[in-house]
Amino acid sequence: MMALILRLLLIALFVWLGYKLVRKLITPPAQLPPADTPPQVMQRCAYCDVHVPAGESTQSRGKVFCSEAHRDAWFRDHPSGD
Ligand SMILES: [Zn+2]
């Protein structure tokens, strides 16, 4: 009778170990994507050709600029807008 219980315990142990092993194999390693860095669209300053993230660029009349200073400078050089 004791041998039977021991055998059942062993089987249960192997099943549990196998379950843990399978879980480990199926579950990919925790790779947390950087939540606060969405893919940044880079835009080119029409004035100095520097690439700036879309969120940091200044846009005016369909043109993209790295700064308000370059926006002003570009429109000073191109009063007609092209
Ligand atoms: Zn610029």
Side-chain angles (χ1 to χ4, degrees), residues 1-72:
M1 192 57 195
M2 269 309 280
L4 185 67
I5 292 170
L6 273 176
R7 203 179 298 171
L8 284 171
L9 277 173
L10 267 176
I11 291 168
L13 184 71
F14 278 119
V15 168
W16 181 71
L17 282 175
Y19 171 75
K20 283 201 73 165
L21 189 71
V22 168
R23 275 286 299 268
K24 207 171 184 175
L25 288 174
I26 299 174
T27 312
Q31 255 182 354
L32 294 174
D36 55 345
T37 52
Q40 276 283 17
V41 178
M42 300 299 280
Q43 292 179 309
R44 190 167 54 85
C45 174
Y47 187 76
C48 68
D49 284 354
V50 155
H51 283 79
V52 286
E56 294 171 27
S57 65
T58 301
Q59 298 187 32
S60 190
R61 287 194 244 166
K63 301 281 184 191
V64 177
F65 304 95
C66 66
S67 61
E68 288 176 15
H70 279 182
R71 179 196 63 195
D72 295 344

